[in-house]
Amino acid sequence: MERDKVTIREVTKRTGDAPRLAMITAYDFYSARFADRAGVDLLLVGDSLGSFMLGYPGTVPVTMAEMIHHCRAVTRAAPAAFVVGDLPFGSYQTSTRDAVANAVRLVKEGGCEAVKLEGGAERTEAIAAIVGAGIPVMGHVGLGPQSEHRYGGYRVQGRTADVAGRVLRDGIAVAEAGCFAIVIEAVPRRVAEEVTRRVPVATIGIGAGPGCDGQVLIYHEVIGMHTGRAPRYVKQYAAVGEQISAAVTRYCGEVRGGKFPDREHSYLMEQSELERFRERSAEPGKPPGEPLPAPHATGAER
Ligand code: KIV
């Protein structure tokens, strides 16, 4: 069923008592198509595609070219959801000029409606410059997977008062710099609640408890199309990976056993054309091949 396009005006209204925002990642045409049809508000072409589409150990190796390639597939598939593209590691940390240039590419070449970048107080100049160029920016505070080497892995942020204070200051700083919404990742729920209370824009949690204005999860983890352990905050709503394995196992068995393809999955031709073909292609000095089976009621071969 067709639904109204989600615009930034809708996203920015959804704070406080408004219905929560539902965001999910999408990386390719069909993940975006199914999520868009399911009614998701926002799609995030996350740099987590490094792990879930490309088999990298994390997000750090992901390039602008890879992000644009996947953003284009998603934006072609999703007429209704508001599409946000992640600026990958190295595309905005080097200079404000690079940050603006690469944000422009995600919008112009990738078709995204907004960009997301990780970091707090240290990113306010880049955020303000991108917003100044007319591109909405989603912030991302708490755990920033692109900084995994700084944290020594993917670790919950803000379990101590000091770090919780930093997460809060980061949230306030990126909101003041002009972000229209902020992802809060892997922080204790009370910390996310406090950030949500203190910023005027929508917060979208991932591993940040129920107190945010919205939630985001990774598509493959939601549908169960991944191997390996998922973080504690992930709720898996289907077991698509197991269904895929079962379907492909059956397919292999039917191919090997000659059961597939059967008549239903084969192209047929008119009986008369088949007879003419066999006469014309008979080997010299030999009669046409096997006698033909009785014609099908429609005149098509059996
Ligand atoms: O890349 C991504 O998928 C993200 C989410 C974890 C929010 O940034």
Side-chain angles (χ1 to χ4, degrees), residues 25 27 44 46-48 86 116 140 183 185 206 216 218:
T25 63
Y27 314 115
L44 172 65
D47 58 356
S48 50
D86 244 344
K116 177 168 83 55
H140 184 155
V183 166
E185 179 165 356
I206 175 163
V216 56
I218 292 196

PDB file of all heavy atoms in Angstrom, residues 25 27 44 46-48 86 116 140 183 185 206 216 218, ligand 1:
ATOM      1  N   THR A  25      18.517  -0.312   9.266  1.00  0.00           N
ATOM      2  CA  THR A  25      19.524  -0.159   8.209  1.00  0.00           C
ATOM      3  C   THR A  25      19.032  -0.864   6.949  1.00  0.00           C
ATOM      4  O   THR A  25      18.227  -1.796   7.005  1.00  0.00           O
ATOM      5  CB  THR A  25      20.887  -0.759   8.607  1.00  0.00           C
ATOM      6  OG1 THR A  25      20.740  -2.162   8.810  1.00  0.00           O
ATOM      7  CG2 THR A  25      21.451  -0.109   9.851  1.00  0.00           C
ATOM      8  N   TYR A  27      20.890  -1.826   2.929  1.00  0.00           N
ATOM      9  CA  TYR A  27      22.131  -1.671   2.170  1.00  0.00           C
ATOM     10  C   TYR A  27      21.963  -1.961   0.686  1.00  0.00           C
ATOM     11  O   TYR A  27      22.850  -1.696  -0.107  1.00  0.00           O
ATOM     12  CB  TYR A  27      23.203  -2.637   2.704  1.00  0.00           C
ATOM     13  CG  TYR A  27      23.332  -2.666   4.207  1.00  0.00           C
ATOM     14  CD1 TYR A  27      23.019  -3.815   4.926  1.00  0.00           C
ATOM     15  CD2 TYR A  27      23.777  -1.540   4.904  1.00  0.00           C
ATOM     16  CE1 TYR A  27      23.153  -3.853   6.304  1.00  0.00           C
ATOM     17  CE2 TYR A  27      23.903  -1.571   6.285  1.00  0.00           C
ATOM     18  CZ  TYR A  27      23.592  -2.735   6.979  1.00  0.00           C
ATOM     19  OH  TYR A  27      23.723  -2.764   8.337  1.00  0.00           O
ATOM     20  N   LEU A  44      18.579   3.737   7.199  1.00  0.00           N
ATOM     21  CA  LEU A  44      19.963   4.169   7.346  1.00  0.00           C
ATOM     22  C   LEU A  44      20.854   3.272   6.489  1.00  0.00           C
ATOM     23  O   LEU A  44      20.909   2.058   6.715  1.00  0.00           O
ATOM     24  CB  LEU A  44      20.404   4.052   8.813  1.00  0.00           C
ATOM     25  CG  LEU A  44      21.898   4.282   9.065  1.00  0.00           C
ATOM     26  CD1 LEU A  44      22.295   5.717   8.722  1.00  0.00           C
ATOM     27  CD2 LEU A  44      22.262   3.962  10.516  1.00  0.00           C
ATOM     28  N   GLY A  46      23.877   2.352   6.598  1.00  0.00           N
ATOM     29  CA  GLY A  46      24.938   2.450   7.605  1.00  0.00           C
ATOM     30  C   GLY A  46      26.253   1.940   7.048  1.00  0.00           C
ATOM     31  O   GLY A  46      26.277   1.058   6.181  1.00  0.00           O
ATOM     32  N   ASP A  47      27.339   2.456   7.602  1.00  0.00           N
ATOM     33  CA  ASP A  47      28.636   1.909   7.187  1.00  0.00           C
ATOM     34  C   ASP A  47      28.836   0.513   7.796  1.00  0.00           C
ATOM     35  O   ASP A  47      29.797  -0.179   7.493  1.00  0.00           O
ATOM     36  CB  ASP A  47      29.793   2.858   7.525  1.00  0.00           C
ATOM     37  CG  ASP A  47      29.876   3.179   9.008  1.00  0.00           C
ATOM     38  OD1 ASP A  47      29.000   2.744   9.774  1.00  0.00           O
ATOM     39  OD2 ASP A  47      30.830   3.895   9.400  1.00  0.00           O
ATOM     40  N   SER A  48      27.857   0.076   8.611  1.00  0.00           N
ATOM     41  CA  SER A  48      27.854  -1.323   9.069  1.00  0.00           C
ATOM     42  C   SER A  48      27.729  -2.264   7.868  1.00  0.00           C
ATOM     43  O   SER A  48      27.896  -3.473   8.019  1.00  0.00           O
ATOM     44  CB  SER A  48      26.702  -1.554  10.051  1.00  0.00           C
ATOM     45  OG  SER A  48      25.479  -1.076   9.526  1.00  0.00           O
ATOM     46  N   ASP A  86      25.469   7.077   5.771  1.00  0.00           N
ATOM     47  CA  ASP A  86      26.587   7.256   6.711  1.00  0.00           C
ATOM     48  C   ASP A  86      27.816   7.794   5.993  1.00  0.00           C
ATOM     49  O   ASP A  86      28.210   7.256   4.946  1.00  0.00           O
ATOM     50  CB  ASP A  86      26.971   5.879   7.285  1.00  0.00           C
ATOM     51  CG  ASP A  86      26.735   5.795   8.775  1.00  0.00           C
ATOM     52  OD1 ASP A  86      26.577   6.844   9.433  1.00  0.00           O
ATOM     53  OD2 ASP A  86      26.708   4.655   9.280  1.00  0.00           O
ATOM     54  N   LYS A 116      24.843  11.004   8.093  1.00  0.00           N
ATOM     55  CA  LYS A 116      25.111  10.790   9.522  1.00  0.00           C
ATOM     56  C   LYS A 116      26.619  10.753   9.714  1.00  0.00           C
ATOM     57  O   LYS A 116      27.343  10.222   8.860  1.00  0.00           O
ATOM     58  CB  LYS A 116      24.486   9.473  10.011  1.00  0.00           C
ATOM     59  CG  LYS A 116      24.805   9.162  11.479  1.00  0.00           C
ATOM     60  CD  LYS A 116      23.958   8.028  12.011  1.00  0.00           C
ATOM     61  CE  LYS A 116      24.465   6.648  11.689  1.00  0.00           C
ATOM     62  NZ  LYS A 116      25.845   6.360  12.098  1.00  0.00           N
ATOM     63  N   HIS A 140      25.736  11.175  15.943  1.00  0.00           N
ATOM     64  CA  HIS A 140      25.884   9.789  16.433  1.00  0.00           C
ATOM     65  C   HIS A 140      26.843   9.836  17.621  1.00  0.00           C
ATOM     66  O   HIS A 140      28.044  10.041  17.434  1.00  0.00           O
ATOM     67  CB  HIS A 140      26.424   8.904  15.295  1.00  0.00           C
ATOM     68  CG  HIS A 140      26.538   7.450  15.640  1.00  0.00           C
ATOM     69  ND1 HIS A 140      26.502   6.461  14.667  1.00  0.00           N
ATOM     70  CD2 HIS A 140      26.689   6.800  16.814  1.00  0.00           C
ATOM     71  CE1 HIS A 140      26.636   5.277  15.244  1.00  0.00           C
ATOM     72  NE2 HIS A 140      26.764   5.457  16.557  1.00  0.00           N
ATOM     73  N   VAL A 183      21.659   9.766  16.789  1.00  0.00           N
ATOM     74  CA  VAL A 183      21.728   8.357  17.190  1.00  0.00           C
ATOM     75  C   VAL A 183      22.544   8.282  18.483  1.00  0.00           C
ATOM     76  O   VAL A 183      23.595   8.922  18.602  1.00  0.00           O
ATOM     77  CB  VAL A 183      22.381   7.493  16.087  1.00  0.00           C
ATOM     78  CG1 VAL A 183      22.770   6.118  16.618  1.00  0.00           C
ATOM     79  CG2 VAL A 183      21.439   7.347  14.900  1.00  0.00           C
ATOM     80  N   GLU A 185      24.302   5.393  20.729  1.00  0.00           N
ATOM     81  CA  GLU A 185      24.614   3.959  20.639  1.00  0.00           C
ATOM     82  C   GLU A 185      25.291   3.434  21.900  1.00  0.00           C
ATOM     83  O   GLU A 185      26.259   4.023  22.400  1.00  0.00           O
ATOM     84  CB  GLU A 185      25.527   3.698  19.425  1.00  0.00           C
ATOM     85  CG  GLU A 185      25.901   2.216  19.294  1.00  0.00           C
ATOM     86  CD  GLU A 185      26.496   1.827  17.956  1.00  0.00           C
ATOM     87  OE1 GLU A 185      26.582   2.682  17.049  1.00  0.00           O
ATOM     88  OE2 GLU A 185      26.875   0.639  17.822  1.00  0.00           O
ATOM     89  N   ILE A 206      20.184   2.896  19.870  1.00  0.00           N
ATOM     90  CA  ILE A 206      20.545   1.508  19.512  1.00  0.00           C
ATOM     91  C   ILE A 206      21.350   1.017  20.708  1.00  0.00           C
ATOM     92  O   ILE A 206      22.445   1.524  20.992  1.00  0.00           O
ATOM     93  CB  ILE A 206      21.298   1.412  18.156  1.00  0.00           C
ATOM     94  CG1 ILE A 206      21.744  -0.037  17.919  1.00  0.00           C
ATOM     95  CG2 ILE A 206      22.456   2.396  18.022  1.00  0.00           C
ATOM     96  CD1 ILE A 206      22.112  -0.343  16.464  1.00  0.00           C
ATOM     97  N   VAL A 216      16.784   2.281  16.324  1.00  0.00           N
ATOM     98  CA  VAL A 216      17.350   1.753  15.081  1.00  0.00           C
ATOM     99  C   VAL A 216      17.998   0.410  15.388  1.00  0.00           C
ATOM    100  O   VAL A 216      18.574   0.228  16.465  1.00  0.00           O
ATOM    101  CB  VAL A 216      18.375   2.731  14.439  1.00  0.00           C
ATOM    102  CG1 VAL A 216      19.503   3.113  15.369  1.00  0.00           C
ATOM    103  CG2 VAL A 216      18.939   2.164  13.140  1.00  0.00           C
ATOM    104  N   ILE A 218      19.979  -3.125  13.167  1.00  0.00           N
ATOM    105  CA  ILE A 218      20.575  -3.557  11.906  1.00  0.00           C
ATOM    106  C   ILE A 218      19.663  -4.601  11.257  1.00  0.00           C
ATOM    107  O   ILE A 218      19.257  -5.578  11.909  1.00  0.00           O
ATOM    108  CB  ILE A 218      21.991  -4.092  12.177  1.00  0.00           C
ATOM    109  CG1 ILE A 218      22.818  -2.877  12.589  1.00  0.00           C
ATOM    110  CG2 ILE A 218      22.550  -4.848  10.980  1.00  0.00           C
ATOM    111  CD1 ILE A 218      24.255  -2.963  12.581  1.00  0.00           C
TER     112      ILE A 218
HETATM  113  O1  KIV B   1      26.289   1.902  10.529  1.00  0.00           O
HETATM  114  C1  KIV B   1      25.300   1.667  11.222  1.00  0.00           C
HETATM  115  O2  KIV B   1      24.572   0.707  11.017  1.00  0.00           O
HETATM  116  C2  KIV B   1      25.023   2.557  12.337  1.00  0.00           C
HETATM  117  C3  KIV B   1      24.026   2.101  13.331  1.00  0.00           C
HETATM  118  C4  KIV B   1      24.717   1.258  14.323  1.00  0.00           C
HETATM  119  C5  KIV B   1      23.309   3.229  13.957  1.00  0.00           C
HETATM  120  O3  KIV B   1      25.623   3.576  12.469  1.00  0.00           O
END
